Amino acid sequence: MSIDFETELNDAQREAVQTTEGPVLVIAGAGSGKTRTIVYRLAHLVESGIDPAQILLLTFTKKAAQEMLARAEVILGRPLTGTSGGTFHSFAYATLRRNAADIGFNNGFTLMDRADSENICKEVKDVFKLGKGDRSYPRKSTLLDMITKSRNKELPIEIIMEREAYHLSPYLDDINEISNGYAQFKREHALMDYDDLLFLLDQLLEENAPLRNQLQTRYRYIMVDEYQDTNLVQARIVKHLAGSKGNVMAVGDDAQSIYAFRGANIANILDFPKIFEGTKIIRLEKNYRSVQPILDLTNEILAGAATKFDKHLYSDLKSDKLPEVVYPLSDQSQARLVVDQILTLQRKYMLHEIAVLFRAGYQSFPLEVALTRIGIDYQKFGGIRFHEAAHVKDVLSYLRLVLNPHDLLAWQRAMDHIKGVGPKTVAKIYKAMHSGDSKYLTTITKKHEDLRALFNELNTLRGLTPKPSMLLERIMSFYQPILIEKYPDDYPKRQAGLEQLSQIAVSYSDMEQFLGDLSLNGDPEDEKRKENSVVLSTVHSAKGLEWKAVIIIDLVEDRFPSRKAMQRAEDLEEERRLMYVACTRAKDCLKLFVPSSVYNRASGMSDPTLPSPFILELPNETFERLNESYGGGMEKRTRPETHPQLGTTRQQTHTESNTDTKNKKNTVKLGFCKHKIFGKGKIIAQPEPNKFKINFPGFGIKTIIGDYIEMI
């Protein structure tokens, strides 16, 4: 059968499909029909008389390869017998099995899974007698994470630790020793892990010219999907197989490279034309997912990228409704406003067609509580559901015991960190407390100092106000050293989740209501259950998915982009790509939430925020701005003139004229002003046209956007 290219493909897709000789780089914008292009190219090659056995398709999941091959077979009307399609790892495994002796495995090798690798790390640690008696010692899973990240990024463990896990620095020498021991153990026992498959294949192809030439002759047509997600060793493998001028087509989108934490290196796709001489670059820019106003906004996000392949997404899907940028007064009111938006959107869309996206899993905690309170079911991807977090359960166990000293499960949780106090001992303590056996309690508390401290803390808590936020403040101080000891591998991340718990507590005056709302758990997450459930997801987990309506929350500095990302230029660039991925998940409706302040547990007040730089850069004509008013409603702002540096600056209400606004901006002098949180302050500098450094008595110097101050 003849393939109908004219009606099934657009011009750019057709060019990619029919360009079969030489290196080709297909820059496939979000929603541009990337998979369709690969499938039709497979079919076209075979229909053109190419032997299917000469085609190699490399993907990142087995499922993706199988789906592409199956769809190509449907187009051709016959099987693609002989085509090699699969993951980098599966291809490496098959090649190494056939050539094991050439890499020193004369009797073959055994491939280990993740659990095997973790157990070997533990065994090596024990053999070296490391961490004996240290309850804060990194878990075996964390040890392996450090080793595998170091290998995939091809950086020393010290650099990985400095960037991602600085709190583990005291164990650097130990982890290096375990890493060396782990490598030696594998070699001595003819074992390989998943990383070895790639690095040993790279070594084999580098050193064995006859094999390299043989594979280059066999696989005349190589196609690689999601090229922006390749790491350094995968890119080298592709070069070995294709040769510098081989027939290799790489498909991907530099703007969707968001997995640097796994080792993905965006330079692979950016430098592809330099590595493969004579590369033809084809851009897929027609989007089949989103309405044009959403694409106008995402194009502006990409415009600010430092290094990129230029692309301009467009769509035949039109809409007269712009994306909305919503400014809640605080992150505390943000959850309520998002729930209101979901209830409104529910009139038009099914709940599973609505998604709320966020940078980090803990950021959805207030929303989870708000959704549970009004009975809206949700399904969460990325991170864990709030009520399932172990550290949250730990802290809540203290509150439960203040309310109900007969809560045996809470006692078990509260004593879990005390060495030597297991379930049987907890049962004895519980019985003694409720039978008045003071002799046993005196004996056991003398034996366990931590137990005495716990009892003293609970006695103190019972005498305090029943207001949840005040009790939590005290509990957090008591629990902090326990958190660090109990969860040494990732306590900084867990601490952020507990900050959210404190924020939620502020809006409660009744402890029973607070605990009740937190305990109304829905069914455990079921990947297959999608009907009538709002989707909550981290942006990383949302890649490749789409929804009719998308809400993105916490678009402020330190949250999106994350605090860590603000410190390195390349990390900030990845955050920009993450923002692009988030926005391009939306088909019809996009709403961006920018809380004007965030709750600070230390001060018990809300601190003003700086909007995400990705929001500040957006031209005003790409969105509608809504502000939460002090009365609780929403106030639409008209579009002001765009400031060339910030994009969005002062925006006036319908009652304020453009002329008045311009005059205010032009007549600002270094003097006194008033802020709704910090009160009266003195302006000491104006680093940018609409940003001011202000000295607030009692708070120190703060940098505030002009929208949030009133001149006096």
Side-chain angles (χ1 to χ4, degrees):
M1 62 180 287
S2 178
I3 301 174
D4 183 2
F5 292 119
E6 292 301 321
T7 58
E8 296 296 327
L9 301 170
N10 64 39
D11 291 345
Q13 291 172 333
R14 191 161 48 250
E15 184 182 8
V17 166
Q18 295 179 332
T19 304
T20 58
E21 303 302 314
V24 182
L25 176 62
V26 178
I27 301 299
S32 63
K34 166 182 72 73
T35 301
R36 186 180 192 81
T37 303
I38 294 173
V39 167
Y40 270 84
R41 191 173 193 265
L42 280 169
H44 174 62
L45 286 171
V46 176
E47 193 189 46
S48 301
I50 304 299
D51 182 350
Q54 292 190 311
I55 302 172
L56 173 63
L57 171 64
L58 293 173
T59 62
F60 275 82
T61 66
K62 180 180 177 182
K63 182 181 176 183
Q66 290 174 335
E67 180 190 337
M68 290 175 187
L69 293 173
R71 285 173 58 180
E73 289 178 344
V74 170
I75 294 169
L76 284 167
R78 64 181 188 274
L80 273 174
T81 307
T83 299
S84 298
T87 65
F88 276 92
H89 290 91
S90 63
F91 175 78
Y93 180 72
T95 306
L96 292 174
R97 293 291 293 181
R98 292 193 297 268
N99 301 276
D102 292 345
I103 50 173
F105 291 86
N106 296 320
N107 298 313
F109 61 85
T110 300
L111 181 63
M112 305 183 296
D113 61 16
R114 170 84 190 193
D116 295 329
S117 296
E118 288 183 3
N119 289 334
I120 291 173
C121 284
K122 183 180 183 304
E123 187 167 333
V124 170
K125 174 181 81 79
D126 292 344
V127 167
F128 290 163
K129 296 187 166 87
L130 299 173
K132 289 190 77 174
D134 182 354
R135 297 184 68 195
S136 297
Y137 206 84
R139 294 188 297 259
K140 58 186 180 182
S141 59
T142 302
L143 295 172
L144 183 63
D145 281 344
M146 290 291 105
I147 293 168
T148 195
K149 281 186 178 184
S150 170
R151 295 192 73 194
N152 278 288
K153 295 188 178 188
E154 300 185 31
L155 292 170
I157 289 174
E158 182 178 7
I159 301 296
I160 301 297
M161 196 174 281
E162 189 178 295
R163 292 181 182 176
E164 302 181 26
Y166 192 75
H167 59 286
L168 297 179
S169 298
Y171 301 105
L172 173 61
D173 291 342
D174 283 16
I175 296 175
N176 274 319
E177 193 173 349
I178 292 167
S179 177
N180 294 332
Y182 173 68
Q184 185 178 344
F185 186 100
K186 287 185 296 178
R187 177 60 69 173
E188 288 174 355
H189 296 84
L191 298 170
M192 282 192 202
D193 60 21
Y194 293 115
D195 297 334
D196 293 324
L197 291 176
L198 299 181
F199 284 97
L200 289 173
L201 176 61
D202 176 38
Q203 178 187 329
L204 178 65
L205 295 176
E206 175 70 35
E207 298 173 355
N208 190 329
L211 175 64
R212 186 173 66 247
N213 293 334
Q214 176 193 331
L215 291 174
Q216 287 179 4
T217 302
R218 177 180 175 184
Y219 298 117
R220 287 182 51 215
Y221 298 90
I222 299 169
M223 301 169 70
V224 188
D225 187 24
E226 302 284 15
Y227 201 76
Q228 78 279 352
D229 293 338
T230 55
N231 60 17
L232 292 170
V233 68
Q234 287 166 328
R236 290 197 299 271
I237 289 170
V238 170
K239 189 168 188 299
H240 287 317
L241 293 172
S244 60
K245 297 182 181 179
N247 290 332
V248 55
M249 184 174 91
V251 184
D253 184 2
D254 55 299
Q256 295 187 68
S257 180
I258 60 173
Y259 294 118
F261 65 94
R262 293 182 190 166
N265 195 315
I266 192 174
N268 290 345
I269 191 167
L270 292 175
D271 294 343
F272 189 91
K274 298 177 189 173
I275 296 167
F276 293 96
E277 186 182 333
T279 292
K280 183 173 188 177
I281 301 174
I282 300 170
R283 292 170 172 81
L284 304 185
E285 297 174 297
K286 183 172 183 179
N287 178 287
Y288 293 90
R289 174 189 300 152
S290 307
V291 295
Q292 189 60 46
I294 291 175
L295 298 180
D296 290 339
L297 184 142
T298 57
N299 284 333
E300 292 296 338
I301 293 170
L302 287 188
T307 52
K308 62 182 184 293
F309 286 106
D310 288 327
K311 70 175 79 65
H312 188 84
L313 298 182
Y314 66 94
S315 171
D316 291 339
L317 305 171
K318 306 303 178 187
S319 173
D320 56 3
K321 187 169 176 56
L322 291 175
E324 291 179 352
V325 177
V326 182
Y327 281 77
L329 290 172
S330 70
D331 55 345
Q332 292 168 275
S333 61
Q334 175 180 244
R336 175 180 57 79
L337 293 176
V338 170
V339 169
D340 289 345
Q341 292 285 349
I342 290 170
L343 292 172
T344 301
L345 291 167
Q346 190 182 6
R347 298 174 197 155
K348 186 175 181 181
Y349 308 114
M350 297 288 286
L351 280 175
H352 59 265
E353 294 177 325
I354 304 168
V356 182
L357 306 183
F358 32 86
R359 177 65 183 82
Y362 74 84
Q363 289 172 276
S364 69
F365 290 171
L367 181 58
E368 291 176 49
V369 175
L371 290 171
T372 300
R373 189 184 304 159
I374 65 169
I376 294 181
D377 198 13
Y378 66 88
Q379 186 176 24
K380 184 172 180 180
F381 299 95
I384 58 174
R385 288 164 70 116
F386 186 42
H387 58 261
E388 295 167 354
H391 52 291
V392 171
K393 287 183 175 180
D394 289 349
V395 168
L396 293 180
S397 68
Y398 299 109
L399 282 183
R400 286 167 58 177
L401 289 172
V402 171
L403 205 61
N404 176 17
H406 296 278
D407 188 339
L408 176 58
L409 293 178
W411 279 115
Q412 290 172 340
R413 188 106 210 167
M415 296 187 203
D416 184 59
H417 70 285
I418 302 174
K419 193 173 182 180
V421 177
K424 290 181 180 177
T425 306
V426 173
K428 289 178 183 176
I429 294 170
Y430 182 82
K431 184 179 178 182
M433 283 190 294
H434 294 90
S435 65
D437 188 350
S438 57
K439 184 178 179 183
Y440 177 78
L441 292 174
T442 301
T443 302
I444 197 75
T445 51
K446 280 183 180 177
K447 187 177 178 182
H448 299 284
E449 187 58 40
D450 287 345
L451 185 61
R452 183 195 299 277
L454 173 63
F455 285 169
N456 289 340
E457 180 66 17
L458 288 170
N459 286 331
T460 302
L461 289 171
R462 286 195 191 98
L464 297 176
T465 170
K467 194 174 181 184
S469 59
M470 295 186 71
L471 288 177
L472 267 179
E473 180 70 30
R474 169 113 191 179
I475 290 169
M476 299 279 254
S477 298
F478 176 78
Y479 181 70
Q480 182 70 16
I482 299 171
L483 176 75
I484 294 171
E485 182 183 357
K486 196 172 179 182
Y487 307 103
D489 306 75
D490 60 355
Y491 70 83
K493 188 190 296 183
R494 293 177 188 266
Q495 182 65 47
L498 292 177
E499 294 291 340
Q500 290 289 57
L501 180 65
S502 291
Q503 174 198 313
I504 293 166
V506 170
S507 59
Y508 286 84
S509 57
D510 182 88
M511 189 146 64
E512 284 195 43
Q513 182 67 49
F514 176 62
L515 288 172
D517 283 351
L518 293 176
S519 302
L520 287 171
N521 301 346
D523 296 329
E525 181 182 326
D526 179 353
E527 294 288 329
K528 296 178 182 176
R529 177 177 58 81
K530 291 219 171 196
E531 291 294 322
N532 293 319
S533 294
V534 174
V535 175
L536 308 183
S537 177
T538 60
V539 182
H540 284 102
S541 297
K543 187 174 181 289
L545 303 176
E546 57 186 40
W547 295 273
K548 292 286 183 67
V550 169
I551 298 169
I552 308 172
I553 62 172
D554 276 354
L555 285 165
V556 295
E557 283 190 13
D558 290 350
R559 294 195 175 184
F560 198 159
S562 68
R563 181 172 301 172
K564 232 187 269 184
M566 300 292 288
Q567 297 165 11
R568 298 175 69 237
E570 56 265 49
D571 290 344
L572 188 59
E573 283 295 289
E574 178 150 323
E575 295 286 306
R576 178 185 298 280
R577 299 192 292 270
L578 204 58
M579 179 72 172
Y580 165 78
V581 168
C583 293
T584 52
R585 300 310 95 196
K587 292 181 176 182
D588 302 335
C589 175
L590 177 63
K591 296 176 186 286
L592 311 175
F593 276 70
V594 187
S596 299
S597 64
V598 296
Y599 179 70
N600 184 330
R601 182 177 65 85
S603 67
M605 300 175 68
S606 288
D607 292 339
T609 59
L610 289 175
S612 168
F614 314 132
I615 294 293
L616 290 175
E617 291 171 357
L618 292 174
N620 296 293
E621 63 270 16
T622 60
F623 63 89
E624 289 287 352
R625 174 168 171 165
L626 296 172
N627 282 9
E628 180 187 8
S629 67
Y630 290 106
M634 298 302 297
E635 180 184 78
K636 184 175 284 192
R637 294 293 183 103
T638 59
R639 291 190 207 105
E641 63 174 349
T642 302
H643 192 283
Q645 285 180 295
L646 291 181
T648 304
T649 56
R650 292 186 64 87
Q651 303 205 25
Q652 67 278 6
T653 65
H654 293 295
T655 58
E656 182 182 60
S657 71
N658 286 330
T659 305
D660 289 341
T661 303
K662 289 176 188 173
N663 288 341
K664 282 184 184 179
K665 286 173 68 175
N666 292 335
T667 57
V668 168
K669 296 178 181 178
L670 301 189
F672 291 94
C673 66
K674 193 162 66 175
H675 185 272
K676 64 178 183 288
I677 301 295
F678 300 120
K680 185 178 176 181
K682 183 177 182 180
I683 299 173
I684 58 174
Q686 186 174 353
E688 293 183 40
N690 198 40
K691 283 186 183 177
F692 301 90
K693 282 189 178 295
I694 305 166
N695 189 5
F696 292 102
F699 294 98
I701 297 172
K702 305 281 185 184
T703 301
I704 308 288
I705 292 178
D707 294 359
Y708 304 117
I709 61 172
E710 179 185 340
M711 304 307 298
I712 56 175

PDB file of all heavy atoms in Angstrom, residues 77-95:
ATOM      1  N   GLY A  77       0.862  -2.125   6.611  1.00  0.00           N
ATOM      2  CA  GLY A  77       0.005  -3.268   6.347  1.00  0.00           C
ATOM      3  C   GLY A  77       0.752  -4.584   6.389  1.00  0.00           C
ATOM      4  O   GLY A  77       0.270  -5.616   5.902  1.00  0.00           O
ATOM      5  N   ARG A  78       1.939  -4.579   6.991  1.00  0.00           N
ATOM      6  CA  ARG A  78       2.719  -5.820   7.129  1.00  0.00           C
ATOM      7  C   ARG A  78       3.700  -5.666   8.295  1.00  0.00           C
ATOM      8  O   ARG A  78       4.012  -4.545   8.705  1.00  0.00           O
ATOM      9  CB  ARG A  78       3.471  -6.151   5.847  1.00  0.00           C
ATOM     10  CG  ARG A  78       4.536  -5.149   5.433  1.00  0.00           C
ATOM     11  CD  ARG A  78       5.202  -5.594   4.127  1.00  0.00           C
ATOM     12  NE  ARG A  78       6.340  -4.801   3.756  1.00  0.00           N
ATOM     13  CZ  ARG A  78       6.288  -3.676   3.075  1.00  0.00           C
ATOM     14  NH1 ARG A  78       5.119  -3.175   2.715  1.00  0.00           N
ATOM     15  NH2 ARG A  78       7.403  -3.022   2.745  1.00  0.00           N
ATOM     16  N   PRO A  79       4.205  -6.771   8.850  1.00  0.00           N
ATOM     17  CA  PRO A  79       5.100  -6.683  10.016  1.00  0.00           C
ATOM     18  C   PRO A  79       6.476  -6.114   9.662  1.00  0.00           C
ATOM     19  O   PRO A  79       6.954  -6.258   8.540  1.00  0.00           O
ATOM     20  CB  PRO A  79       5.208  -8.137  10.495  1.00  0.00           C
ATOM     21  CG  PRO A  79       4.823  -8.968   9.320  1.00  0.00           C
ATOM     22  CD  PRO A  79       3.875  -8.157   8.505  1.00  0.00           C
ATOM     23  N   LEU A  80       7.079  -5.455  10.676  1.00  0.00           N
ATOM     24  CA  LEU A  80       8.437  -4.900  10.519  1.00  0.00           C
ATOM     25  C   LEU A  80       9.450  -5.914  11.058  1.00  0.00           C
ATOM     26  O   LEU A  80      10.211  -5.612  11.977  1.00  0.00           O
ATOM     27  CB  LEU A  80       8.559  -3.585  11.289  1.00  0.00           C
ATOM     28  CG  LEU A  80       8.140  -2.303  10.577  1.00  0.00           C
ATOM     29  CD1 LEU A  80       8.181  -1.136  11.536  1.00  0.00           C
ATOM     30  CD2 LEU A  80       9.040  -2.018   9.388  1.00  0.00           C
ATOM     31  N   THR A  81       9.465  -7.078  10.520  1.00  0.00           N
ATOM     32  CA  THR A  81      10.337  -8.139  11.013  1.00  0.00           C
ATOM     33  C   THR A  81      11.802  -7.761  10.858  1.00  0.00           C
ATOM     34  O   THR A  81      12.238  -7.354   9.777  1.00  0.00           O
ATOM     35  CB  THR A  81      10.067  -9.452  10.245  1.00  0.00           C
ATOM     36  OG1 THR A  81       8.671  -9.724  10.311  1.00  0.00           O
ATOM     37  CG2 THR A  81      10.845 -10.608  10.858  1.00  0.00           C
ATOM     38  N   GLY A  82      12.542  -7.866  11.960  1.00  0.00           N
ATOM     39  CA  GLY A  82      13.979  -7.618  11.908  1.00  0.00           C
ATOM     40  C   GLY A  82      14.403  -6.254  12.395  1.00  0.00           C
ATOM     41  O   GLY A  82      15.580  -6.034  12.711  1.00  0.00           O
ATOM     42  N   THR A  83      13.477  -5.307  12.512  1.00  0.00           N
ATOM     43  CA  THR A  83      13.834  -3.972  13.005  1.00  0.00           C
ATOM     44  C   THR A  83      14.198  -4.040  14.484  1.00  0.00           C
ATOM     45  O   THR A  83      13.486  -4.657  15.281  1.00  0.00           O
ATOM     46  CB  THR A  83      12.673  -2.986  12.817  1.00  0.00           C
ATOM     47  OG1 THR A  83      12.366  -2.884  11.430  1.00  0.00           O
ATOM     48  CG2 THR A  83      13.032  -1.607  13.346  1.00  0.00           C
ATOM     49  N   SER A  84      15.308  -3.418  14.850  1.00  0.00           N
ATOM     50  CA  SER A  84      15.725  -3.373  16.256  1.00  0.00           C
ATOM     51  C   SER A  84      15.141  -2.119  16.894  1.00  0.00           C
ATOM     52  O   SER A  84      15.482  -0.998  16.482  1.00  0.00           O
ATOM     53  CB  SER A  84      17.256  -3.352  16.372  1.00  0.00           C
ATOM     54  OG  SER A  84      17.801  -4.542  15.830  1.00  0.00           O
ATOM     55  N   GLY A  85      14.275  -2.301  17.853  1.00  0.00           N
ATOM     56  CA  GLY A  85      13.667  -1.161  18.537  1.00  0.00           C
ATOM     57  C   GLY A  85      13.612  -1.406  20.024  1.00  0.00           C
ATOM     58  O   GLY A  85      13.143  -2.458  20.464  1.00  0.00           O
ATOM     59  N   GLY A  86      14.115  -0.470  20.806  1.00  0.00           N
ATOM     60  CA  GLY A  86      14.105  -0.645  22.260  1.00  0.00           C
ATOM     61  C   GLY A  86      14.875   0.459  22.949  1.00  0.00           C
ATOM     62  O   GLY A  86      15.239   1.470  22.331  1.00  0.00           O
ATOM     63  N   THR A  87      15.150   0.273  24.218  1.00  0.00           N
ATOM     64  CA  THR A  87      15.856   1.283  25.002  1.00  0.00           C
ATOM     65  C   THR A  87      17.367   1.181  24.799  1.00  0.00           C
ATOM     66  O   THR A  87      17.880   0.161  24.319  1.00  0.00           O
ATOM     67  CB  THR A  87      15.551   1.114  26.494  1.00  0.00           C
ATOM     68  OG1 THR A  87      16.078  -0.151  26.933  1.00  0.00           O
ATOM     69  CG2 THR A  87      14.044   1.151  26.760  1.00  0.00           C
ATOM     70  N   PHE A  88      18.064   2.226  25.170  1.00  0.00           N
ATOM     71  CA  PHE A  88      19.528   2.189  25.148  1.00  0.00           C
ATOM     72  C   PHE A  88      20.034   0.997  25.960  1.00  0.00           C
ATOM     73  O   PHE A  88      20.964   0.293  25.555  1.00  0.00           O
ATOM     74  CB  PHE A  88      20.092   3.480  25.756  1.00  0.00           C
ATOM     75  CG  PHE A  88      20.186   4.624  24.789  1.00  0.00           C
ATOM     76  CD1 PHE A  88      19.145   5.533  24.658  1.00  0.00           C
ATOM     77  CD2 PHE A  88      21.326   4.812  24.019  1.00  0.00           C
ATOM     78  CE1 PHE A  88      19.233   6.603  23.778  1.00  0.00           C
ATOM     79  CE2 PHE A  88      21.430   5.879  23.139  1.00  0.00           C
ATOM     80  CZ  PHE A  88      20.373   6.779  23.007  1.00  0.00           C
ATOM     81  N   HIS A  89      19.410   0.777  27.117  1.00  0.00           N
ATOM     82  CA  HIS A  89      19.881  -0.286  28.008  1.00  0.00           C
ATOM     83  C   HIS A  89      19.652  -1.674  27.417  1.00  0.00           C
ATOM     84  O   HIS A  89      20.507  -2.559  27.536  1.00  0.00           O
ATOM     85  CB  HIS A  89      19.204  -0.164  29.374  1.00  0.00           C
ATOM     86  CG  HIS A  89      19.658   1.020  30.166  1.00  0.00           C
ATOM     87  ND1 HIS A  89      19.023   2.237  30.098  1.00  0.00           N
ATOM     88  CD2 HIS A  89      20.694   1.184  31.036  1.00  0.00           C
ATOM     89  CE1 HIS A  89      19.652   3.106  30.888  1.00  0.00           C
ATOM     90  NE2 HIS A  89      20.665   2.495  31.465  1.00  0.00           N
ATOM     91  N   SER A  90      18.492  -1.877  26.774  1.00  0.00           N
ATOM     92  CA  SER A  90      18.225  -3.198  26.197  1.00  0.00           C
ATOM     93  C   SER A  90      19.158  -3.473  25.019  1.00  0.00           C
ATOM     94  O   SER A  90      19.646  -4.594  24.839  1.00  0.00           O
ATOM     95  CB  SER A  90      16.767  -3.320  25.760  1.00  0.00           C
ATOM     96  OG  SER A  90      16.455  -2.397  24.731  1.00  0.00           O
ATOM     97  N   PHE A  91      19.437  -2.434  24.218  1.00  0.00           N
ATOM     98  CA  PHE A  91      20.380  -2.599  23.108  1.00  0.00           C
ATOM     99  C   PHE A  91      21.776  -2.911  23.644  1.00  0.00           C
ATOM    100  O   PHE A  91      22.475  -3.796  23.133  1.00  0.00           O
ATOM    101  CB  PHE A  91      20.412  -1.328  22.254  1.00  0.00           C
ATOM    102  CG  PHE A  91      21.441  -1.368  21.160  1.00  0.00           C
ATOM    103  CD1 PHE A  91      21.212  -2.081  19.996  1.00  0.00           C
ATOM    104  CD2 PHE A  91      22.656  -0.697  21.296  1.00  0.00           C
ATOM    105  CE1 PHE A  91      22.170  -2.138  18.988  1.00  0.00           C
ATOM    106  CE2 PHE A  91      23.615  -0.744  20.302  1.00  0.00           C
ATOM    107  CZ  PHE A  91      23.375  -1.468  19.132  1.00  0.00           C
ATOM    108  N   ALA A  92      22.195  -2.199  24.687  1.00  0.00           N
ATOM    109  CA  ALA A  92      23.515  -2.427  25.278  1.00  0.00           C
ATOM    110  C   ALA A  92      23.618  -3.841  25.849  1.00  0.00           C
ATOM    111  O   ALA A  92      24.633  -4.526  25.660  1.00  0.00           O
ATOM    112  CB  ALA A  92      23.770  -1.400  26.377  1.00  0.00           C
ATOM    113  N   TYR A  93      22.568  -4.284  26.534  1.00  0.00           N
ATOM    114  CA  TYR A  93      22.573  -5.625  27.137  1.00  0.00           C
ATOM    115  C   TYR A  93      22.765  -6.701  26.063  1.00  0.00           C
ATOM    116  O   TYR A  93      23.609  -7.598  26.201  1.00  0.00           O
ATOM    117  CB  TYR A  93      21.273  -5.857  27.893  1.00  0.00           C
ATOM    118  CG  TYR A  93      21.153  -7.213  28.555  1.00  0.00           C
ATOM    119  CD1 TYR A  93      21.912  -7.522  29.680  1.00  0.00           C
ATOM    120  CD2 TYR A  93      20.287  -8.185  28.051  1.00  0.00           C
ATOM    121  CE1 TYR A  93      21.808  -8.760  30.301  1.00  0.00           C
ATOM    122  CE2 TYR A  93      20.178  -9.433  28.660  1.00  0.00           C
ATOM    123  CZ  TYR A  93      20.937  -9.710  29.782  1.00  0.00           C
ATOM    124  OH  TYR A  93      20.838 -10.943  30.385  1.00  0.00           O
ATOM    125  N   ALA A  94      22.002  -6.590  24.977  1.00  0.00           N
ATOM    126  CA  ALA A  94      22.094  -7.595  23.914  1.00  0.00           C
ATOM    127  C   ALA A  94      23.479  -7.588  23.270  1.00  0.00           C
ATOM    128  O   ALA A  94      24.055  -8.653  22.985  1.00  0.00           O
ATOM    129  CB  ALA A  94      21.019  -7.322  22.857  1.00  0.00           C
ATOM    130  N   THR A  95      24.037  -6.395  23.042  1.00  0.00           N
ATOM    131  CA  THR A  95      25.358  -6.293  22.410  1.00  0.00           C
ATOM    132  C   THR A  95      26.453  -6.829  23.325  1.00  0.00           C
ATOM    133  O   THR A  95      27.357  -7.552  22.878  1.00  0.00           O
ATOM    134  CB  THR A  95      25.653  -4.824  22.027  1.00  0.00           C
ATOM    135  OG1 THR A  95      24.580  -4.319  21.229  1.00  0.00           O
ATOM    136  CG2 THR A  95      26.956  -4.711  21.258  1.00  0.00           C
TER     137      THR A  95
END
